[in-house]
Amino acid sequence: MKPTIQQIADLAGVSRGTVDRALHNRGRVDPKVAGRIFEIAESLNYIPPRRPKRASRKIRIGFVTFLSERVFSGEINKGIEQAKEELAQWGIEILIEKCVSISEIDQLNAINNLVDKGIQGLALMPVDSELIRSRLNELSNQLDIPTVTFNTDIVGTKRICFIGMDNKKSGRVAAGLMGMLTSGTGSILIITGSFANNAYSQRVDGFIEELKAAYPSIKIAGVQCAFDNMTELESILESTFLNSSGISGILITSSGQDGVETAFQKLNLNKRPFVIFYDMTPCTAKALQDNIADFVIEQDCFSQGYNAAYALANILVKKQYPPQEFLYTDIEIKTKYNI
């Protein structure tokens, strides 16, 4: 395997941007740091890739995210910002619109704002709605603006590719874990976020399909929506456990996981059910350490934002399209022993 800038950065204890600037003599880098970077690169026999010619005109790529204030979005934004810094050397500008909620109107306005600013490419976490679907197809058919989706996908559009976790497969992974935890018995409560988020729906679908196939004795106590809200999630748990019995496991496919510990404290359960979360955040890490949760299913959010930018840059500058439609990131299983 060829050495990468990331390997050099890890060994030198610096960012990829610092390595890039040092190897190509761009920008200020401390001479001692630069010397260490060159030594590491030489020891790895690293050969810098030939850079494409700088664009003759300014190219603008637009990004649209949602749930921008959620912790998991921080890693996505870091990936976008890293790509923004690097792609500036190509003559590419990245413009970002961050939506706080999963709202089709907010997202449509964000897309239109970017189009008004003259973007030539669009990367977004799409709201799964006909309004957004129609607008994306207009961008492709009428304005010739290529689009890629990341983190969550949308069907029925001419988007170039999707970059993110195979969410349906991750749901099957969660089902396998829950089946092992419960020995294939009991009843499972599923709590999801907005139904306008395709990723959540895919996770639930994969989970239910695999439970039915591999653990037919396990029952589904229900699928409830907490709208990525901690208070709503807490309320759902309290109501379910006060009015039902035999809940042996809980799968939470969305944000708002903070509400689990609060609900458990109020309910004062003799034995807590098994719990599986999504996305490593300070909240979910603490839940693992405090034995509130058993597993966290992690996706590589940084790479999603970073690779979406480069996918569009390659299309716009080099006319090079992704090798496949679905560019899946890793599905990682985290416990309190490996976080």
Side-chain angles (χ1 to χ4, degrees):
M1 183 180 293
K2 294 181 180 179
T4 65
I5 281 184
Q6 184 61 62
Q7 287 176 304
I8 297 171
D10 291 341
L11 291 171
V14 297
S15 71
R16 282 180 287 195
T18 300
V19 173
D20 185 78
R21 290 194 297 273
L23 293 179
H24 296 94
N25 296 312
R26 288 191 303 272
R28 292 185 177 182
V29 179
D30 183 279
K32 292 183 179 179
V33 174
R36 187 164 71 253
I37 289 171
F38 278 108
E39 287 178 3
I40 294 170
E42 185 176 354
S43 69
L44 295 175
N45 294 318
Y46 175 77
I47 300 175
R50 184 167 62 87
R51 287 184 165 270
K53 294 180 180 179
R54 187 180 179 88
S56 59
R57 64 188 177 93
K58 195 72 170 181
I59 291 177
R60 288 181 169 175
I61 293 174
F63 267 81
V64 179
T65 64
F66 55 56
L67 297 178
S68 59
E69 295 182 351
R70 302 293 180 181
V71 176
F72 86 95
S73 294
E75 285 301 305
I76 289 176
N77 292 329
K78 286 179 183 178
I80 297 170
E81 291 295 336
Q82 181 68 49
K84 180 178 181 178
E85 179 183 340
E86 295 174 8
L87 290 175
Q89 306 300 326
W90 293 26
I92 294 175
E93 181 182 8
I94 290 182
L95 307 177
I96 307 169
E97 290 275 343
K98 299 178 181 179
C99 300
V100 175
S101 64
I102 303 180
S103 161
E104 62 176 0
I105 299 301
D106 288 349
Q107 183 159 99
L108 181 63
N109 289 336
I111 293 170
N112 290 337
N113 287 341
L114 291 170
V115 172
D116 289 343
K117 292 176 182 177
I119 60 168
Q120 286 91 45
L122 175 67
L124 81 163
M125 299 164 58
V127 174
D128 192 2
S129 79
E130 195 56 42
L131 189 65
I132 298 303
R133 187 173 292 106
S134 175
R135 184 55 173 148
L136 295 184
N137 285 328
E138 286 177 1
L139 297 186
S140 175
N141 296 331
Q142 300 175 19
L143 300 178
D144 197 27
I145 295 177
T147 299
V148 303
T149 58
F150 64 98
N151 189 259
T152 184
D153 201 9
I154 185 169
V155 299
T157 70
K158 294 186 177 181
R159 60 107 177 92
I160 302 297
C161 67
F162 166 70
I163 301 170
M165 182 167 66
D166 184 337
N167 283 290
K168 192 164 188 177
K169 186 175 183 179
S170 79
R172 295 200 297 269
V173 170
L177 295 172
M178 191 65 80
M180 289 187 289
L181 289 170
T182 61
S183 299
T185 61
S187 184
I188 309 300
L189 173 66
I190 303 171
I191 301 178
T192 189
S194 170
F195 291 116
N197 186 332
N198 177 269
Y200 296 161
S201 300
Q202 289 289 305
R203 293 169 186 177
V204 172
D205 289 347
F207 183 81
I208 293 175
E209 286 179 12
E210 184 63 21
L211 274 191
K212 288 182 177 179
Y215 301 98
S217 295
I218 295 180
K219 298 178 181 178
I220 302 297
V223 180
Q224 301 202 43
C225 182
F227 302 100
D228 294 284
N229 183 279
M230 179 187 100
T231 304
E232 184 66 27
L233 193 150
E234 179 186 332
S235 176
I236 289 171
L237 288 178
E238 289 182 37
S239 175
T240 299
F241 278 87
L242 289 174
N243 294 291
S244 305
S245 60
I247 303 293
S248 54
I250 302 170
L251 172 69
I252 299 175
T253 68
S254 60
S255 301
Q257 301 101 326
D258 311 56
V260 173
E261 182 173 10
T262 307
F264 284 177
Q265 289 173 347
K266 289 182 178 179
L267 291 165
N268 193 27
L269 302 172
N270 292 326
K271 180 183 178 182
R272 73 161 175 84
F274 298 108
V275 177
I276 297 175
F277 287 149
Y278 271 81
D279 294 324
M280 278 303 304
T281 66
C283 165
T284 56
K286 183 177 184 297
L288 288 175
Q289 292 169 334
D290 294 347
N291 293 315
I292 300 299
D294 301 282
F295 294 110
V296 172
I297 296 177
E298 168 70 339
Q299 56 184 320
D300 186 355
C301 288
F302 180 96
S303 292
Q304 294 172 16
Y306 183 85
N307 291 338
Y310 269 93
L312 284 168
N314 286 330
I315 292 169
L316 296 170
V317 177
K318 300 160 60 175
K319 307 302 180 186
Q320 178 182 318
Y321 284 75
Q324 56 205 46
E325 180 182 359
F326 297 98
L327 303 174
Y328 290 129
T329 54
D330 290 339
I331 299 173
E332 298 182 13
I333 300 170
K334 297 293 186 180
T335 74
K336 66 179 180 180
Y337 302 106
N338 68 347
I339 56 176

